[in-house]
Amino acid sequence: MQSTPPLPASLTGHVMVCEGVVHVSEEVRRTPELLSFLSYCSRRGINEQRVVNPAQFQKLRVARGQARTESDVQAMAVELLRTAHSLGASDIHIEDHGPFVSVDLRILTMVQRHRVLMGDEGRALIRCIYQTMSASAEAQYSPGKRQDGRIISRNYLPPGLHSIRLHTEPLECAISDQGTGTFLAMRLLYDSTHATGTLSSRLASLGYSARHIARLEFLTQRSGLTLLSGPTGSGKSTALKHIMECMALDNPEKSFLSIEDPPEYPLEGVKQVRVLTDGDQDRGMEYRRAIAGAMRSDPDTLMLGEIRYPEAAMAAVDAAQTGHGVWTTIHANSAIGIVQRMLSLLNAAHCPDPAEY
């Protein structure tokens, strides 16, 4: 007598056994997990297989009463966050290719495939994460639009995760019926940033060497512009949080401000200013305006969440030249790369002589 074998979690939503036939959605037809499952089925007398496209598979699931409800999709999203957190992932990438949706995790700075979902299921997951679970400036998810949001509700976040930053990008996708897709990037922000104590002890807990700690402690006593660089997920924002908090706690007589888009972590003793814009085309100028406003707010030390725009680079240098301490992060692969990146940004801001600026 045939018995239905247990379905691996990675194949849930892609494979269904009905009346002695294994129905397979074609995006998983060559995966090792499927081959192992088919071998398991064969040993139990289930030898017939039918491979169909994702749309046909979804119709079959609906007919069998196995279509996912909204609560099912939300449960799947929460489980994805829990798994990513347990693996120490810094980011989750969800990419809509049309017939299928891939889910990747960045672990120890390297992106690796986590699972593949059928198209409708994956798009429902993206929509649920942005529209239901996040606190977003725009309430409705628009697949063809660039959007930002944050997951901050403890109802969705596993213990040890402070929040999650969301960003979507529209993609060109030749295999999609509409010719477009969506890329959702999710940055996981961990509660490990809540370490206490001196700057030295905090940085040591993050893995900084004694030599690096001594240099950072020296820089906290200086004015001017200090830039932290490193690969994605290397902990730049975490280190910056500890530096700013320790400076604020050690110098309560001084004023500390941060300019962020959006604020990632609460900073004790630091006044956090959020950059509010209606679109990417306004962000560079809004950063400059926010920095200019901060300079009129009588700060002693200013923090910028990240220098991404030419206007922000020029405003940061201007602020440092007035004698204020300015701390920020920048995407560069080395110390020399920081200089090259800043020169590129200042050139883009039409600075006449960036090297002398």
Side-chain angles (χ1 to χ4, degrees):
M1 181 177 182
Q2 293 178 336
S3 61
T4 302
L7 187 65
S10 60
L11 297 179
T12 301
H14 307 279
V15 176
M16 184 169 57
V17 181
C18 301
E19 300 174 353
V21 179
V22 182
H23 299 268
V24 180
S25 187
E26 61 184 358
E27 74 271 14
V28 298
R29 64 185 304 177
R30 294 185 177 88
T31 62
E33 293 86 351
L34 177 64
L35 297 177
S36 176
F37 179 72
L38 292 178
S39 175
Y40 189 96
C41 290
S42 179
R43 293 195 300 271
R44 281 155 181 76
I46 304 174
N47 296 302
E48 186 176 354
Q49 304 152 23
R50 295 176 188 171
V51 179
V52 297
N53 65 45
Q56 292 173 320
F57 186 83
Q58 177 65 5
K59 289 179 181 179
L60 180 62
R61 291 188 72 212
V62 171
R64 293 284 175 176
Q66 294 187 21
R68 286 185 180 273
T69 65
E70 181 66 24
S71 60
D72 291 332
V73 176
Q74 186 168 297
M76 178 171 62
V78 171
E79 179 60 28
L80 173 61
L81 301 185
R82 186 180 297 112
T83 300
H85 173 262
S86 68
L87 295 174
S90 63
D91 300 83
I92 302 171
H93 296 171
I94 304 178
E95 188 170 350
D96 174 14
H97 301 274
F100 66 94
V101 173
S102 61
V103 181
D104 298 334
L105 303 179
R106 184 184 291 277
I107 301 172
L108 297 176
T109 75
M110 294 182 291
V111 177
Q112 52 192 262
R113 180 59 43 86
H114 174 60
R115 64 183 302 188
V116 178
L117 305 170
M118 62 183 189
D120 289 342
E121 186 179 36
R123 283 185 285 278
L125 176 65
I126 294 174
R127 184 179 299 106
C128 176
I129 289 172
Y130 182 86
Q131 192 165 295
T132 304
M133 299 170 62
S134 76
S136 310
E138 299 173 83
Q140 295 298 314
Y141 164 66
S142 301
K145 189 176 180 181
R146 183 176 291 113
Q147 295 179 294
D148 291 286
R150 287 194 301 165
I151 298 177
I152 56 178
S153 172
R154 302 312 312 178
N155 293 330
Y156 309 124
L157 297 172
L161 207 57
H162 170 263
S163 63
I164 298 175
R165 189 177 68 204
L166 309 177
H167 179 75
T168 67
E169 288 282 348
L171 299 177
E172 285 296 309
C173 185
I175 61 175
S176 169
D177 291 339
Q178 292 76 32
T180 60
T182 301
F183 175 62
L184 169 61
M186 308 171 65
R187 168 61 56 85
L188 280 62
L189 303 172
Y190 287 83
D191 270 342
S192 58
T193 57
H194 288 309
T196 58
T198 65
L199 179 58
S200 176
S201 63
R202 295 188 189 204
L203 293 178
S205 70
L206 296 177
Y208 283 80
S209 68
R211 181 167 58 93
H212 289 145
I213 293 172
R215 287 183 178 179
L216 287 169
E217 287 181 323
F218 170 75
L219 290 171
T220 62
Q221 307 302 316
R222 311 283 293 181
S223 60
L225 176 61
T226 303
L227 299 105
L228 305 182
S229 73
T232 298
S234 60
K236 299 183 296 296
S237 297
T238 301
L240 196 57
K241 167 193 165 65
H242 287 300
I243 291 168
M244 287 297 294
E245 282 195 340
C246 286
M247 285 196 294
L249 293 172
D250 292 342
N251 301 277
E253 74 283 0
K254 294 184 177 180
S255 176
F256 294 83
L257 272 75
S258 74
I259 307 295
E260 300 171 77
D261 177 30
E264 293 189 348
Y265 303 110
L267 302 176
E268 186 177 354
V270 180
K271 293 177 279 292
Q272 295 178 265
V273 177
R274 182 172 184 175
V275 178
L276 298 175
T277 61
D278 294 327
D280 253 17
Q281 66 273 18
D282 301 319
R283 280 188 172 152
M285 187 54 65
E286 284 302 318
Y287 252 106
R288 186 175 181 91
R289 289 171 181 160
I291 296 170
M295 295 305 295
R296 293 192 296 271
S297 301
D298 190 31
D300 292 289
T301 299
L302 182 66
M303 181 193 110
L304 310 180
E306 181 184 349
I307 290 185
R308 282 178 286 178
Y309 307 101
E311 297 87 351
M314 183 170 282
V317 175
D318 284 340
Q321 288 180 333
T322 64
H324 293 81
V326 180
W327 288 77
T328 187
T329 67
I330 191 169
H331 278 286
N333 292 325
S334 65
I336 295 298
I338 294 176
V339 177
Q340 294 170 336
R341 177 69 175 147
M342 285 296 292
L343 289 176
S344 174
L345 288 168
L346 292 172
N347 270 318
H350 307 294
C351 179
D353 190 357
E356 298 294 331
Y357 188 55

